[in-house]
Amino acid sequence: MKTSKYAQPQGFEMARRDWPSRSIRKSPIWNAVDLRDGNQALPDPMSPAQKKRYFQLLCEIGFKEIEVGFPSASRDDFQFCRDLIEQKLIPDDVTIAILTQAREPLIKRSFEALRGVGRAICHVYIATSDLHMNYVFRKDRAQTADTALASVELIRRQAKALGDSEIRLQFSPEEFTDTDLDFAVSLCDQVVETWQPERGKKVILNLPATVERRMPNQYADMVEEFIRRQRHREQSIISVHAHNDMGCAVASTQMTLLAGADRVEGTLFGHGERSGNVDLVTMALNLQYFGIDTGLDFHDVESIRDEIIKLTGMPVSPRHPYAGELVFSAFSGSHQDAIHKGLAGREQLTGDFGGWKIPYLHIDPAELGRRYEKFIRINSQSGKGGIAHVLETDYKVRLPRALLIDFSRHVQQLADQVSREIESSEIWQLFNQCYNRQEGPLVMDKYWPRPNHDDPARIDGEVHVRFKGERHELTASANGPVAAFVHALEKLSLPSFSLEEYEEDAIGSSADAQAITFVRLDDDEKRSWYGIGFDQNIDQAAVRAVVSALNRMLEGKGENVAK
Ligand code: KIV
Ligand code: ZN
């Protein structure tokens, strides 16, 4: 096998591997790092006002831990931290975190930012990969460990000096997934021992995939083995922080939860350095799909998405799982048809499958404040199912099958002609243009159907029409109002035709709902012509449908519809 140009991460011994046979059963603790890792990677970092709104939004969603910045590295972040504290913007049940490098002046400056906070997490990090230690810092492992432990000691003293604020420690061996596992375990053990956590106040050990260089299963292996080898599991919270360089951050994070991680750091929509951090929207909604209460509320994911787009200036892919504009739409005919049938039968499906399940739809969009109407969009790939769905959901019109087949051809022609998606309103307009033809060679001015004096079972019809511009008043009687109308028209010099199909439906369910009538006329060459008519009165809707079909026949517009 050809070896890779790229140095592969180092392996390690694993006596056992338990995570593959586990399931995720509970929610992790979430820590949103949008205002730090996310913001530092934005082409245009957010203004203080934007950060405040973002912070508030994270609180509204339900995050209880929020990393708010790197106050020792940026004046803006320092001021933002001060504003949150001084303006009392931090809800009682939310803990803010700040990030610092393991350097004395930066730690001291960080604590100035934290004055009066009440409760916070001080997150200190140091790179522990050989790559970083050799190339970037020119330190060996012992020197790196000394620096880390001295920093933890300093944080301990600074935290005490803060007085009445409760400071928790978070330690990250940066580049954990590229770090020698024994070194990471030993350093983290010493960090816990140096911090000496009081009972119940665990140290957060954050094990980041700073650059995603391993497959998700290998990250999970590292986390499982880290936990197995560490000395102070009971005094630590294991946190994961996945970046997305290979596009696997969500899978990685899910697998590390199987491996025993307690806490997840990430950002909404995955904003973060390079290809981003793990996306917490996808993560949380995946867990919600498994039936886990995440404590995070995405019931209106579209407005969260739109607000984040505005705040960050970064687009969200239309194919983003759950929040993308297109994720509850189907373009292809076979998908549309299956969705249409699945939705129509979903009550029954619920019983059959023990839960909500619809072909080609992952979750119930209503759970995220999204609507069924958007499912089906029409373009040149669409089929009858999609068109039927649009007409039924948007216009409450259910077409007879042969008419649907005929109309699909018109839609297809339009889609090919315009080479883009066709809006629901355009479909409706086209439908009316094709089949509702009250203007043409034949125009009906009035139609009065009334019961015959001598035989109330028969109907006398009086028709006022214009045919090719000439007025006619015609009468006929028959055993129904539509038949009387057709007989009256036979007195005009029309080509011969017969009424072959007739269907009526109500549009809407109120007492004054409109009626729609579909008719099919066959001419003597056995060609078929559909027409539709609308009216509040069923008889008037029916005769309008006959006029539409006749006008199409007279103008030769329409095709030989399959019967
Ligand atoms: O990606 C990373 O390693 C980080 C650390 C600071 C935790 O963001
Ligand atoms: Zn990061």
Side-chain angles (χ1 to χ4, degrees):
M1 196 177 81
K2 190 174 175 304
T3 54
S4 169
K5 164 181 170 176
Y6 298 100
Q8 300 298 303
Q10 144 191 3
F12 51 90
E13 286 299 311
M14 248 186 123
R16 247 175 48 214
R17 181 179 283 109
D18 292 338
W19 66 264
S21 52
R22 295 189 190 135
S23 317
I24 303 176
R25 300 212 181 278
K26 65 175 179 59
S27 179
I29 301 162
W30 304 104
N31 180 40
V33 296
D34 306 60
L35 295 166
R36 196 275 298 169
D37 225 352
N39 190 49
Q40 79 189 39
L42 292 178
D44 294 316
M46 287 182 275
S47 69
Q50 287 172 319
K51 283 207 259 178
K52 268 184 214 164
R53 175 57 200 141
Y54 204 127
F55 178 78
Q56 197 184 10
L57 183 61
L58 291 170
C59 295
E60 284 163 14
I61 292 170
F63 288 98
K64 302 296 177 210
E65 293 184 6
I66 301 173
E67 192 163 279
V68 297
F70 196 155
S72 59
S74 128
R75 221 164 359 113
D76 273 6
D77 280 14
F78 186 94
Q79 192 51 48
F80 179 59
C81 188
R82 293 309 310 148
D83 286 351
L84 289 178
I85 297 166
E86 285 163 15
Q87 295 170 22
K88 302 197 185 320
L89 298 176
I90 308 167
D92 287 346
D93 59 350
V94 171
T95 305
I96 62 161
I98 53 97
L99 181 72
T100 177
Q101 278 177 350
R103 286 167 53 195
E104 183 176 326
L106 302 188
I107 291 169
K108 289 186 170 161
R109 176 85 176 139
S110 302
F111 274 85
E112 282 170 33
L114 286 176
R115 254 181 303 112
V117 68
R119 195 179 54 236
I121 295 168
C122 178
H123 177 188
V124 60
Y125 75 100
I126 193 162
T128 50
S129 64
D130 290 338
L131 181 71
H132 248 78
M133 288 188 295
N134 287 342
Y135 286 171
V136 187
F137 299 126
R138 305 205 174 274
K139 280 186 176 176
D140 61 19
R141 289 182 188 174
Q143 288 167 316
T144 299
D146 285 349
T147 308
L149 299 176
S151 299
V152 171
E153 185 54 48
L154 176 61
I155 293 169
R156 218 162 76 84
R157 289 200 305 275
Q158 292 281 320
K160 246 197 191 136
L162 262 195
D164 53 6
S165 291
E166 180 195 310
I167 302 296
R168 290 168 59 204
L169 177 73
Q170 174 169 345
F171 174 72
S172 292
E174 195 192 8
E175 286 264 38
F176 167 76
T177 49
D178 195 31
T179 295
D180 174 79
L181 186 61
D182 282 330
F183 177 51
V185 171
S186 139
L187 179 57
C188 288
D189 279 342
Q190 292 175 73
V191 164
V192 177
E193 285 154 16
T194 306
W195 182 252
Q196 300 170 14
E198 293 163 32
R199 267 171 67 79
K201 306 260 168 59
K202 301 181 179 189
V203 177
I204 300 165
L205 297 176
N206 185 48
L207 308 178
T210 305
V211 177
E212 188 172 53
R213 301 182 195 272
R214 291 183 186 266
M215 300 253 297
N217 60 314
Q218 294 172 333
Y219 192 9
D221 279 353
M222 274 194 92
V223 170
E224 179 174 324
E225 194 56 23
F226 178 96
I227 292 173
R228 187 169 294 125
R229 292 186 197 181
Q230 72 169 145
R231 277 203 296 269
H232 304 295
R233 177 68 180 109
E234 293 311 313
Q235 289 169 299
S236 55
I237 289 172
I238 300 300
S239 174
V240 287
H241 175 117
H243 279 268
N244 197 36
D245 300 81
M246 299 200 296
C248 304
V250 168
S252 286
T253 305
Q254 289 179 177
M255 289 187 190
T256 57
L257 290 179
L258 296 175
D262 309 302
R263 181 178 183 269
V264 167
E265 295 196 343
T267 60
L268 299 180
F269 303 107
H271 293 310
E273 294 286 0
R274 307 178 307 282
S275 43
N277 285 68
V278 69
D279 168 20
L280 293 185
V281 178
T282 305
M283 266 306 299
L285 290 172
N286 281 355
L287 297 203
Q288 189 171 312
Y289 175 75
F290 301 143
I292 293 168
D293 178 1
T294 63
L296 302 180
D297 181 357
F298 289 108
H299 81 274
D300 189 4
V301 77
E302 278 184 305
S303 41
I304 293 173
R305 177 198 68 198
D306 293 346
E307 193 156 8
I308 297 296
I309 292 173
K310 254 206 239 143
L311 290 169
T312 58
M314 297 284 279
V316 168
S317 163
R319 302 229 179 266
H320 176 279
Y322 304 104
E325 205 195 324
L326 295 179
V327 295
F328 298 115
S329 307
F331 288 93
S332 101
S334 62
H335 287 214
Q336 290 170 356
D337 189 49
I339 291 172
H340 183 60
K341 287 174 179 152
L343 288 174
R346 72 181 185 279
E347 295 303 319
Q348 177 197 337
L349 288 172
T350 301
D352 285 346
F353 294 98
W356 196 100
K357 202 169 186 187
I358 298 287
Y360 300 115
L361 282 181
H362 170 46
I363 59 151
D364 179 359
E367 218 177 305
L368 304 180
R370 305 199 60 176
R371 292 188 323 210
Y372 295 129
E373 295 96 68
K374 287 192 180 172
F375 288 169
I376 291 185
R377 297 169 64 167
I378 304 298
N379 63 14
S380 60
Q381 305 298 306
S382 309
K384 298 182 293 295
I387 296 163
H389 186 82
V390 167
L391 289 174
E392 275 179 42
T393 51
D394 291 356
Y395 302 100
K396 315 287 173 256
V397 168
R398 194 188 310 257
L399 300 193
R401 187 168 163 71
L403 177 54
L404 179 61
I405 291 169
D406 186 60
F407 182 49
S408 305
R409 285 202 295 262
H410 291 280
V411 175
Q412 180 83 41
Q413 264 170 17
L414 177 64
D416 286 342
Q417 199 182 320
V418 296
S419 302
R420 59 165 168 80
E421 183 187 338
I422 302 176
E423 302 282 330
S424 154
S425 61
E426 291 177 294
I427 291 180
W428 184 241
Q429 197 184 1
L430 181 66
F431 179 62
N432 276 281
Q433 256 168 23
C434 288
Y435 301 108
N436 186 11
R437 301 193 47 80
Q438 301 305 306
E439 299 296 325
L442 188 67
V443 178
M444 183 184 69
D445 292 324
K446 283 270 181 309
Y447 175 53
W448 289 273
R450 359 176 214 261
N452 180 279
H453 274 304
D454 304 325
D455 179 1
R458 282 184 78 74
I459 298 291
D460 292 337
E462 180 181 336
V463 186
H464 293 193
V465 287
R466 276 167 286 152
F467 181 49
K468 296 186 178 165
E470 226 172 273
R471 287 183 188 282
H472 299 265
E473 294 182 9
L474 311 164
T475 55
S477 63
N479 53 9
V482 182
F485 181 78
V486 169
H487 287 323
L489 292 188
E490 280 164 358
K491 296 177 180 166
L492 298 172
S493 49
L494 295 170
S496 67
F497 67 90
S498 57
L499 176 62
E500 293 296 329
E501 238 181 86
Y502 172 90
E503 248 185 83
E504 60 196 30
D505 205 351
I507 303 178
S509 51
S510 64
D512 56 358
Q514 277 237 332
I516 179 170
T517 301
F518 314 92
V519 298
R520 195 190 97 217
L521 305 181
D522 280 5
D523 63 18
D524 50 8
E525 290 169 41
K526 291 286 169 229
R527 290 182 309 169
S528 297
W529 311 89
Y530 264 104
I532 61 166
F534 296 94
D535 201 284
Q536 263 168 318
N537 175 293
I538 276 193
D539 294 338
Q540 297 295 331
V543 298
R544 284 172 183 279
V546 172
V547 169
S548 294
L550 278 170
N551 276 330
R552 300 186 71 224
M553 190 174 96
L554 291 164
E555 289 176 333
K557 286 193 183 145
E559 287 146 40
N560 202 4
V561 175
K563 288 173 200 159

